[in-house]
């Protein structure tokens, strides 16, 4: 079985599992999964499912979802059509199939503009909501993106931000996310194999560059001056996907268009080069040609802007408001060529150091930062209790960098793969954006979570960076266990909501985060907090808490689906702080035993202190058991990390070296105790 077939079968199994657990049909579960991927990849910013199929003017029409961010000054409307096929082997997607699916979308936009069509739709249906929204906001759209998502393999040419002319006079592009592209992102975070910026052929002219690296340098570097109009055209095609992922997260949590930059372009464009700090960019490979007038950059593969996102977005915005002025705007650019094998290690560091002038916390940018590394370390080491329904202990896998889980699984033999999945079940898998979603729900920010994975992560990263700097020791093993408890609550809600009698479909993601936040808020009003330690030990939500969650979920649904007069789009209402404030003030009637699953903050703190004390007071025999259980590979990683951070003594280095050679060498009980102490210290004092 080849890798693509294996991935396809795993995807089908995951989608079916999600559908069964959440009470969805498989096509809805597929779109839900892919929607999260598109959000994380920067293709969209949150989305609203809107399934409809029918005919209009004797032509087939259809839509699956759409995305519109009213705060996005670019005015991009994304319209999605989903194509999910259940099969053992991956199926092909031919050009005729692509045309038929895209035509359904195009024809639907025509139908949406016809009041005789929309008047026949049920006013509460998602199709009517979209049609009404489309007509009301059509003058605000600066660009329409048609997106086809499918679990088939595209056999036609690759389409990525391909121009499709106009719809209702609005520039329109099309992108296809097929099985291969989904696999590429899930396994490695890579979405841009086809993002090649051809300056010479597609964007007017090549760019004159100066080589800034010496022969034999670790990385190839260039200095260039980019015309503002050319940069605007490039951004117009690919948008936020040009921005390195962590920078995109940061920018999407803030105002993208800088007024000062825009004013300079409008009022004094010839001084833009002098006033602006310019761009820092990377590419996996470049084509540079020596001409009579010097070196010229012809094209760049997987071109990414790692600093200068606001500059780029602002220049693009100015293209609409002051197009004539752009001819006098030029931007300096430092371009570094980073080979594909080194991207994950080097690009985040370039991003971090290039953005240091913005005084942004390190956690805002890189999965390699201590917070994420520490949570990853806990997830590989901390055993989750077996609970009541299981016969063995497992672990929760935290993926700080996209593709870690797939990499760890893929490099093993068949027998080792079975063991890996038993140790790290797919259901116990947490990504960075998952973590941000769980935490911000618990922090009573459901309106922020509703903005989508990237914007929510940007908000969370900014907050956690400050907290880490203030007191990193708070993020200990108990914090990790309580994170898992929050994940269990969140995922329990995801299953509970579709099973309720009052649930009519749609807005599940919004209902879940609002319900979670409401429960935490109301517990705090009683001077209590949910007993997360109990949930960790049970590895499930207690029945009393589950009943309370049903109460908050019903209230959340009522709040979200009953917006103020004049507001028709429920998902947009859910993104407003006013929506959360109204729900937070509502008085709810909880089951009598609700208090049984709550504890006081003092009790929670005492439990944390006790847990830390127990870890530090481990006997020699217990230490030996844990050291052996972790295995040589774990201690080798701990040794390397300790040396890298400069946090271990020569004696401790020798002990960890012995532990790293398990089972060929075994430490003494005394050495095992010291090894555990070192691990605990590194846990608290990164």
């Amino acid at each position: 079985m080849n890798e693509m077939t294996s991935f396809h079968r795993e995807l089908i199994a995951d989608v079916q599992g999600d559908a069964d657990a959440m009470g969805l049909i498989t096509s809805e579960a597929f779109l839900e999964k892919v929607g999260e991927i598109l959000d994380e990849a920067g293709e969209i910013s949150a989305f609203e499912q809107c399934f409809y199929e029918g005919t209009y003017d004797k032509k087939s029409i259809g839509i699956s979802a759409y995305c519109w961010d009213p705060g996005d000054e670019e005015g991009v409307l994304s319209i999605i059509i989903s194509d999910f096929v259940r099969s053992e082997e991956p199926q092909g997607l031919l050009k005729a199939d692509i045309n038929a699916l895209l035509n359904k979308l195009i024809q639907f936009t025509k139908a949406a503009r016809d009041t005789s069509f929309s008047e026949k739709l049920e006013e509460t249906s998602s199709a009517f909501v979209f049609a009404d929204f489309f007509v009301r906001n059509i003058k605000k759209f600066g660009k329409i993106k048609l997106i086809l998502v499918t679990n088939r393999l595209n056999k036609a040419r690759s389409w990525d931000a391909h121009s499709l002319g106009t719809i209702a006079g609005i520039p329109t592009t099309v992108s296809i996310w097929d099985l291969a592209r989904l696999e590429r992102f899930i396994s490695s975070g890579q979405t841009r194999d086809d993002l090649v910026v051809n300056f010479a052929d597609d964007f007017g002219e090549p760019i004159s560059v100066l080589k800034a690296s010496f022969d034999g340098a670790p990385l190839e570097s260039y200095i260039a001056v980019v015309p503002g109009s050319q940069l605007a055209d490039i951004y117009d095609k690919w948008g936020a996907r040009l921005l390195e992922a962590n920078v995109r997260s940061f920018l999407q949590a803030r105002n993208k268009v800088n007024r000062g930059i825009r004013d300079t372009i409008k009022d004094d464009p010839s001084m833009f080069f002098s006033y602006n700090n310019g761009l820092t960019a990377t590419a996996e490979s470049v084509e540079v040609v020596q001409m009579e007038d010097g070196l010229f950059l012809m094209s760049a593969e997987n071109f990414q802007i790692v600093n200068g996102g606001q500059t780029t977005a602002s220049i693009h915005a100015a293209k609409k408001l002051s197009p004539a002025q752009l001819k006098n705007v030029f931007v300096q650019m430092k371009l570094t060529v980073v080979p594909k094998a080194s991207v994950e290690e080097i690009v985040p560091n370039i991003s971090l150091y290039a953005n240091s002038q913005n005084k942004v916390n390190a956690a805002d940018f890189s999965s390699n930062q201590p917070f994420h590394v520490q949570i990853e370390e806990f997830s590989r080491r901390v055993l989750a209790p077996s609970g009541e329904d299981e016969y063995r202990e497992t672990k929760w896998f935290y993926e700080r960098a996209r593709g870690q889980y797939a990499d760890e699984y893929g490099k093993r033999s068949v027998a080792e793969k079975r063991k890996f999945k038993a140790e790290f079940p797919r259901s116990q898998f947490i990504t960075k954006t998952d973590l941000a979603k769980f935490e911000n729900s618990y922090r009573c920010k459901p309106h922020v979570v509703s903005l989508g994975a990237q914007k929510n992560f940007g908000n969370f990263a900014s907050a956690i960076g400050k907290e880490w700097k203030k007191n990193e020791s708070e993020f200990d093993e108990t914090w990790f266990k309580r994170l898992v408890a929050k994940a269990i609550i969140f995922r329990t809600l995801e299953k509970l909501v579709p099973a309720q009698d009052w649930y009519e479909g749609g807005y599940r993601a919004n209902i879940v985060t609002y319900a979670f936040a409401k429960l935490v808020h109301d517990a705090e009003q009683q001077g209590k907090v949910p007993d997360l330690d109990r949930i960790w030990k049970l590895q499930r939500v207690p029945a009393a808490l589950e009943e309370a969650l049903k109460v908050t979920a019903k209230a959340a649904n009522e709040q979200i689906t009953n917006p103020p007069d004049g507001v028709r789009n429920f998902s947009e209402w859910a993104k407003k702080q006013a929506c959360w404030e109204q729900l937070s003030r509502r008085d709810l009637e909880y089951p009598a035993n609700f208090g049984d699953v709550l504890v006081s903050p003092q009790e929670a703190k005492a439990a944390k202190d006790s847990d830390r004390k127990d870890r530090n007071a481990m006997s020699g025999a217990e230490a030996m058991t844990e050291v052996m259980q972790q295995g040589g590979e774990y201690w080798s990683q701990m040794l390397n990390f300790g040396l890298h951070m400069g946090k271990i003594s020569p004696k401790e280095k020798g002990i960890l070296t012995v532990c790293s050679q398990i089972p060929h060498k075994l430490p003494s009980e005394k050495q095992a105790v010291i090894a555990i102490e070192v691990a605990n210290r590194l846990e608290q004092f990164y």
Side-chain angles (χ1 to χ4, degrees), residues 508-528:
R508 180 180 63 90
N510 306 117
I511 294 169
V512 167
T513 183
Y514 268 80
F516 193 176
K518 177 61 174 172
L519 182 132
V520 175
H521 173 273
D522 287 0
E524 289 177 349
Q525 295 302 299
Q526 299 180 30
K528 303 281 188 176

Side-chain angles (χ1 to χ4, degrees), residues 87-119:
S87 60
E88 281 291 310
E89 302 293 324
Q91 302 297 301
L93 184 72
L94 304 177
K95 182 178 180 181
D97 301 319
I98 294 171
N99 290 337
L101 287 163
L102 292 176
N103 280 334
K104 281 187 176 184
L105 266 185
I106 295 169
Q107 294 302 320
F108 187 87
T109 63
K110 291 182 179 179
R113 284 171 275 155
D114 185 347
T115 54
S116 65
F117 168 77
S118 58
E119 286 173 354

Side-chain angles (χ1 to χ4, degrees), residues 550-586:
K550 290 178 183 178
V551 172
T552 60
K554 184 177 182 180
N557 178 65
E558 292 169 354
Q559 181 66 39
I560 292 166
T561 58
N562 289 280
D565 292 341
V567 178
R568 291 172 177 260
N569 191 312
F570 299 159
S571 63
E572 288 305 318
W573 168 232
K575 297 172 185 176
K576 306 295 184 184
Q577 188 170 356
C579 183
W580 164 241
E581 288 178 349
Q582 289 183 21
L583 178 63
S584 69
R585 292 195 297 265
R586 290 182 63 173

Side-chain angles (χ1 to χ4, degrees), residues 217-235:
L219 297 174
E220 187 180 347
S221 300
Y222 297 90
I223 300 295
V225 176
V226 184
S229 56
Q230 192 174 35
L231 183 62
D233 288 341
I234 293 170
Y235 190 80

Side-chain angles (χ1 to χ4, degrees), residues 414-426:
V414 174
E416 289 172 335
K417 285 179 179 178
R418 286 196 296 267
K419 182 180 177 182
F420 179 80
K421 282 206 166 182
E423 183 179 14
F424 297 102
R426 193 64 176 77

Side-chain angles (χ1 to χ4, degrees), residues 34 63 75 91 151 177 215 256 260 275-276 294 301 317 332 415 433 440 478-479 550 600 633 685:
V34 174
I63 185 173
Q91 302 297 301
N151 67 324
W177 281 74
D215 291 340
K256 282 205 259 187
Y275 293 160
N276 189 263
E301 182 177 351
Q332 58 184 316
T433 52
N440 268 356
T478 302
W479 192 93
K550 290 178 183 178
S600 69
E633 183 179 351
F685 304 106

Side-chain angles (χ1 to χ4, degrees), residues 361-363 369-375 378 443 460-476 479 641 645 682-686:
N361 291 303
Q369 295 308 313
F371 168 79
H372 298 292
V373 174
Q374 179 156 303
I375 301 305
F378 291 147
R443 293 168 182 232
F460 169 75
S462 179
I464 213 70
K466 295 173 185 176
E467 293 171 23
W468 176 271
K469 185 176 181 180
K470 183 178 179 181
N471 187 7
E472 63 190 57
S473 65
E474 280 298 308
F475 300 93
D476 59 6
W479 192 93
F641 180 78
M645 300 297 290
L682 291 176
E683 162 195 318
Q684 297 178 46
F685 304 106
Y686 263 94

